[in-house]
Amino acid sequence: MGKGKLAKFADMRTFPNVFEPEISFKDDVPYEKKGCWNSSFFHNDNPIVLELGCGRGEYTVGLAQLNPNMNFIGIDIKGARMWTGAKLSLDSGLVNAAFLRTEIGLIDRCFAPGEVSGIWLTFPDPQMKKATKRLTSSWFLERYRNILKDGGEINLKTDSNFLYTYTTLLVDRNNLRSDVRINDLYASEITDSALNIQTYYEQQWRERGKTIKYIRFNLPAEGKLEEPDVEIELDDYRSYGRYKRSGLETSK
């Protein structure tokens, strides 16, 4: 039997690599580690990369193992899942991995401008009903700008054709630099070991025969971001609207 949620929450309060800031959308108060993650936790000047919506943290741990000269922070609001990666990180003796339990929309309260070098989005909910909830929407990209270095790299790995298509259209609409786009990762010849890390959810999707897609693009610090004004076919294996189409909303 797996460890219960309450026990996991209690564990994480003692984990030196887990942080649970008391911040909210209501109060505009920055987290105490904002601007000093390198000095106060990692104790080096290595680049910081975030995994947003890290779930069990497999990607955060995997990336940290592959890149000892970089620092990685997994971010999610669901602490019971995060416990798995945080515990594995401690047991593996990783000193370049940490976990932050907070809402993704609050990350600019937790990191200073230019403090983050890159972002990974691994199998986020495609949020087909509302554009502003998509982690690659202009609404979120504007928040990433508040913490990323100019031209910082964003990586999206997804099983969702909807989210992949939406993201490529948004990238093209805004003339963002994108040097890698793959609509069937495991049928491609790409050899990047970071793309071979598999999350629990990725394994599930692959077992169901779903192709895995990947896009990498750079986000400049300035320039207006616009939503693509295009209808995109919904993923037919999600829980609603098997053959419906949905017009994308403009972010607000």
Side-chain angles (χ1 to χ4, degrees), residues 67-85:
N67 302 279
N69 294 321
M70 300 177 70
N71 302 317
F72 297 89
I73 302 177
I75 300 176
D76 208 311
I77 193 61
K78 296 180 179 178
R81 294 179 183 176
M82 185 183 291
W83 177 91
T84 302

Side-chain angles (χ1 to χ4, degrees), residues 83-147:
W83 177 91
T84 302
K87 181 71 162 57
L88 177 58
S89 178
L90 288 178
D91 292 345
S92 301
L94 288 175
V95 296
N96 63 329
F99 293 86
L100 178 65
R101 188 179 176 212
T102 191
E103 296 278 358
I104 294 172
L106 292 171
I107 57 173
D108 53 3
R109 308 274 182 86
C110 301
F111 299 93
E115 191 172 13
V116 175
S117 294
I119 290 173
W120 279 82
L121 307 170
T122 51
F123 299 89
D125 188 325
Q127 297 289 351
M128 291 183 285
K129 289 185 176 181
K130 190 170 183 180
T132 53
K133 291 187 176 182
R134 297 171 203 148
L135 292 188
T136 55
S137 70
S138 59
W139 191 91
F140 275 103
L141 293 186
E142 290 289 0
R143 276 139 192 84
Y144 305 159
R145 276 179 163 173
N146 293 333
I147 63 173

Side-chain angles (χ1 to χ4, degrees), residues 167-206:
T167 304
T168 58
L169 289 170
L170 185 143
V171 165
D172 289 343
R173 172 72 178 253
N174 294 285
N175 297 311
L176 304 180
R177 182 186 173 207
S178 174
D179 57 353
V180 181
R181 301 183 186 193
I182 306 171
N183 60 18
D184 190 347
L185 179 61
Y186 294 101
S188 73
E189 297 181 355
I190 194 167
T191 58
D192 187 345
S193 55
L195 294 177
N196 290 325
I197 301 169
Q198 292 192 29
T199 69
Y200 169 78
Y201 293 104
E202 178 174 356
Q203 293 172 19
Q204 283 192 327
W205 298 130
R206 292 195 69 196

